[in-house]
Amino acid sequence: MPLSRRGSGSITLATGQTLAIHTRTQDEEILPHATKKTMADHLRRLETVFTLTPQRMRMIVEAFKESLELGLDKPEQVVPMIPTFVFGWPTGKEQGDFLAVDLGGTNLRVCLVNVQGDGKFEITQSKYRLTEEQKQDDGQKLFDFCAECLKTFIVTNFTDESGVSQLNPDEKLPLGFTFSYPCAQSKIDHGVLIRWTKGFGAPNTEGRDVADMFRQSLEKFNVPVVLTALINDTTGTLIASHYVNPKTKIAVIFGTGCNAAYMEHVKDIEKIKDLGIDPSADIAINCEWGAFDSFEHEHLPRSKYDITIDQSSNKPGEQAFEKLISGRYLGEVLRLIICELIDEGVLFLGQNTYKLEVPYSFDTAFLSLMESDPTDELLMIIGIFTHFFAVETTLAERQFFRALAKLIGRRAARLSACGIAAIVSKMGYLEEGCAVGADGSLYNKYPGFADRLHEGLVDIFGDKGRNIVSHHAEDGSGVGSAIIAAMTKIRKEAGLYVDV
């Protein structure tokens, strides 16, 4: 079946890669492809799977709110609602130099933050790539790697031109450790890992105090620091965003994983009433809401594709909410649908599709590129499929893929709105409104994600939903960690440090 050719050329991805575009000439014979009608039929079917109505969203919000309240009342709940022992908001007067180490889902980041007060700061940082092997290797080896990278950073940034250290022989720099995985904390500088998330599975770590494990590595490599605070990146985002914009009351992360933090009244947290904490105080709560509706699976609209992802993951049955909306999984949802249609003889007949059969080979960044393709012929999508998967596509198929990417991305944003709405509803923020500090690659880079999030809030709350406005968050894992270290230092000096 001949198809016309308009030429060849190349496109450049956001990653910097250049993709060659090869379209067909009139005299080239191509293999059978799906028709436009076939694609439209499948799209209508998938629309019913991935579309969330306002009524369904409001039902999810109510169930979500109940899970949040249960997590505050009792320990060891599905949504654990972890008290962070970060008390109250920053005053804006915090100052000093602080180190921050952020063990994230993709990179290890080391920062030197000069906190200047009044919402101002300066930051110097370096990133170190984490391999998939390191994520699954022994936990102590992972912390050894963190310690080695931190030592390299200190040597680089605290050595003068003649190679002499600028630190005094016995000087130890204060360090905030951002560990973005659910930990049970009874004080600010300790935390027992409840479970790994974001694809990590390092053995000999769950159930152990990760702060102590890191201290062992710091001592092993003679790193001149004192670990002052162990925080979650979402808690750091909450504090950093409020430091710069005092209207911020909630922080959310939509990246490799997903999570939220907010400031709760101690008097409303039943499970810590025996700790003797001042009931008039406020304490930051790390929700770890990615676990919402895990195990029971009663409330979230899981498709068969989501169930496949869950069952084949390293943590089946866990992180149900996260697996529907985080950047780690959206591309895999689309890939599974494509593979299903290949198996049904709808797509890529006669072509070698082995590259598409590799789990997680379809990056969520591809969905972002597909949605933002500005060309009539969808040349970006041609480039993705030819360059990464060595298959050719028709315009009808490319239009289908882009529409499918929009369905998956929109569902993620609307489910994200449900989580935010649950906190807003619980805390009574709707009338006066509040700002939500949002961070993560999905929020920052996925086209239309923020708009769809706001659209979802209006669908849930009506016009009052416009009172809840998200904005790009400040750097929680670096700046937030440093500010929390500064706040902790002030509390310790004032004799207010809580150690239970």
Side-chain angles (χ1 to χ4, degrees):
M1 182 173 66
L3 198 73
S4 64
R5 171 189 175 95
R6 301 210 176 175
S8 61
S10 65
I11 56 174
T12 302
L13 297 180
T15 59
Q17 289 178 285
T18 300
L19 307 187
I21 303 299
H22 174 71
T23 53
R24 307 172 191 89
T25 59
Q26 282 281 5
D27 54 0
E28 281 184 286
E29 292 295 320
I30 65 168
L31 296 164
H33 283 271
T35 66
K36 189 171 184 178
K37 181 182 183 303
T38 305
M39 292 289 86
D41 290 342
H42 283 287
L43 185 60
R44 279 193 293 271
R45 173 180 63 85
L46 292 164
E47 280 175 347
T48 64
V49 173
F50 290 101
T51 298
L52 270 176
T53 65
Q55 181 181 8
R56 181 68 187 273
M57 293 173 73
R58 286 189 283 268
M59 292 171 64
I60 292 171
V61 170
E62 286 305 308
F64 215 131
K65 184 179 172 184
E66 289 177 7
S67 290
L68 301 181
E69 291 171 342
L70 186 61
L72 293 174
D73 286 345
K74 300 176 182 179
E76 299 181 5
Q77 298 304 301
V78 174
V79 179
M81 302 296 282
I82 301 167
T84 63
F85 294 85
V86 175
F87 290 97
W89 301 111
T91 63
K93 298 179 181 179
E94 295 81 6
Q95 294 182 345
D97 289 326
F98 298 87
L99 285 167
V101 168
D102 170 26
L103 183 63
T106 306
N107 298 303
L108 174 74
R109 193 163 65 109
V110 182
C111 309
L112 173 63
V113 184
N114 176 240
V115 181
Q116 301 170 344
D118 298 322
K120 299 176 182 177
F121 60 86
E122 291 182 356
I123 185 169
T124 304
Q125 61 182 314
S126 295
K127 286 185 179 181
Y128 306 86
R129 188 77 176 182
L130 289 166
T131 66
E132 289 303 315
E133 290 74 20
Q134 284 175 309
K135 295 179 184 180
Q136 310 303 327
D137 203 350
D138 181 78
Q140 197 63 58
K141 289 183 180 179
L142 179 63
F143 291 116
D144 283 352
F145 173 73
C146 296
E148 287 184 280
C149 292
L150 176 57
K151 185 170 185 177
T152 299
F153 180 86
I154 291 173
V155 169
T156 302
N157 288 278
F158 289 89
T159 303
D160 62 23
E161 294 180 356
S162 60
V164 177
S165 174
Q166 296 173 309
L167 298 176
N168 296 324
D170 297 326
E171 184 177 359
K172 290 197 172 185
L173 299 165
L175 171 69
F177 181 30
T178 305
F179 186 76
S180 306
Y181 308 89
C183 289
Q185 290 187 259
S186 59
K187 44 190 171 182
I188 189 68
D189 54 356
H190 288 269
V192 175
L193 177 62
I194 297 171
R195 61 178 172 271
W196 282 116
T197 58
K198 305 178 192 174
F200 272 77
N204 305 316
T205 313
E206 292 180 348
R208 296 181 62 186
D209 188 332
V210 292
D212 278 348
M213 291 181 72
F214 191 25
R215 286 189 181 96
Q216 289 178 35
S217 295
L218 293 171
E219 185 175 343
K220 175 181 178 180
F221 291 95
N222 196 27
V223 186
V225 299
V226 56
L227 202 164
T228 304
L230 175 74
I231 69 160
N232 183 276
D233 60 345
T234 320
T235 308
T237 299
L238 178 68
I239 296 302
S241 293
H242 188 277
Y243 177 72
V244 173
N245 176 9
K247 292 181 179 180
T248 303
K249 295 181 179 179
I250 300 169
V252 291
I253 304 289
F254 300 116
T256 308
C258 72
N259 195 14
Y262 72 104
M263 197 67 68
E264 181 59 87
H265 309 308
V266 169
K267 64 181 177 62
D268 293 332
I269 310 174
E270 184 68 31
K271 67 182 179 183
I272 65 170
K273 285 193 173 177
D274 61 344
L275 299 184
I277 302 172
D278 180 359
S280 67
D282 288 340
I283 187 171
I285 296 293
N286 166 25
C287 299
E288 290 297 342
W289 74 3
F292 170 63
D293 202 35
S294 295
F295 310 111
E296 298 296 332
H297 303 304
E298 294 178 337
H299 308 292
L300 292 173
R302 297 202 310 162
S303 69
K304 61 182 178 181
Y305 314 106
D306 302 307
I307 293 170
T308 297
I309 287 173
D310 178 36
Q311 292 175 342
S312 61
S313 72
N314 68 329
K315 298 283 186 177
E318 299 182 23
Q319 298 301 104
F321 188 54
E322 179 172 283
K323 286 171 181 171
L324 292 184
I325 67 175
S326 85
R328 176 172 174 80
Y329 303 103
L330 301 189
E332 181 67 358
V333 173
L334 191 142
R335 189 193 70 84
L336 288 173
I337 295 170
I338 290 175
C339 287
E340 179 183 64
L341 295 178
I342 290 171
D343 291 343
E344 292 177 2
V346 176
L347 292 174
F348 309 133
L349 281 173
Q351 297 194 62
N352 192 332
T353 58
Y354 73 98
K355 290 187 176 182
L356 279 162
E357 293 162 11
V358 178
Y360 294 92
S361 59
F362 208 97
D363 197 285
T364 296
F366 294 164
L367 276 68
S368 177
L369 291 167
M370 289 161 70
E371 279 212 50
S372 57
D373 193 330
T375 62
D376 292 338
E377 292 188 341
L378 303 178
L379 298 179
M380 186 74 76
I381 300 176
I382 291 177
I384 290 169
F385 279 90
T386 57
H387 181 85
F388 291 100
F389 304 106
V391 292
E392 299 200 6
T393 57
T394 66
L395 180 59
E397 290 167 344
R398 296 193 293 276
Q399 290 170 337
F400 168 76
F401 296 143
R402 181 162 72 167
L404 182 56
K406 287 182 178 179
L407 280 177
I408 295 168
R410 187 167 186 260
R411 183 187 69 160
R414 289 171 73 79
L415 284 170
S416 301
C418 292
I420 293 172
I423 296 176
V424 168
S425 177
K426 185 200 174 301
M427 298 302 294
Y429 291 152
L430 187 59
E431 293 296 331
E432 64 181 40
C434 74
V436 178
D439 203 359
S441 56
L442 203 59
Y443 181 86
N444 295 330
K445 297 180 180 179
Y446 201 102
F449 188 89
D451 290 340
R452 291 165 179 168
L453 184 71
H454 295 141
E455 175 192 87
L457 289 167
V458 172
D459 279 352
I460 293 166
F461 291 126
D463 282 344
K464 287 184 179 179
R466 303 182 197 282
N467 294 340
I468 313 302
V469 180
S470 71
H471 62 90
H472 174 64
E474 293 302 322
D475 169 24
S477 54
V479 176
S481 181
I483 294 169
I484 289 171
M487 292 168 65
T488 303
K489 180 182 177 184
I490 292 170
R491 285 184 65 82
K492 284 183 176 180
E493 291 172 349
L496 299 174
Y497 178 61
V498 175
D499 188 352
V500 296

